Amino acid sequence: MTRRATLRTTHDDPGIVAGALEPDNTESMHSRLEGDELVTTIERDSTGGLHATVDDYVVNVTVAETVIEATRTHIDTNHE
């Protein structure tokens, strides 16, 4: 049996977040943009595998958002 999770995260620029995450996505992950949301569906054969992949994905989203925000702050600060 396949286990599936769909995660919806809202971002100021979801395309940038999706691009940042793309290198780490596996064949079991499918992402799409819906307005200001990044929607990612993850399918795995085991509950443990699904849990690990979701956990990794959430960490990656958090890191991407942190880096994007730090970059925006740096640009804003240095262009004033």
Side-chain angles (χ1 to χ4, degrees):
M1 173 181 7
T2 300
R3 278 77 172 162
R4 178 181 302 131
T6 300
L7 298 97
R8 293 178 170 271
T9 54
T10 304
H11 308 278
D12 290 336
D13 194 337
I16 292 175
V17 177
L21 298 175
E22 182 65 29
D24 289 326
N25 286 353
T26 66
E27 292 179 9
S28 66
M29 304 167 75
H30 304 283
S31 296
R32 66 184 184 281
L33 301 177
E34 290 184 6
D36 63 351
E37 288 186 332
L38 175 59
V39 181
T40 301
T41 301
I42 301 168
E43 295 182 352
R44 296 293 303 269
D45 291 334
S46 70
T47 302
L50 180 63
H51 181 267
T53 304
V54 168
D55 186 56
D56 288 347
Y57 179 82
V58 170
V59 169
N60 290 345
V61 169
T62 303
V63 170
E65 278 288 344
T66 301
V67 170
I68 291 165
E69 183 59 33
T71 301
R72 285 187 178 135
T73 299
H74 178 75
I75 290 170
D76 291 346
T77 301
N78 290 309
H79 286 97
E80 291 181 353

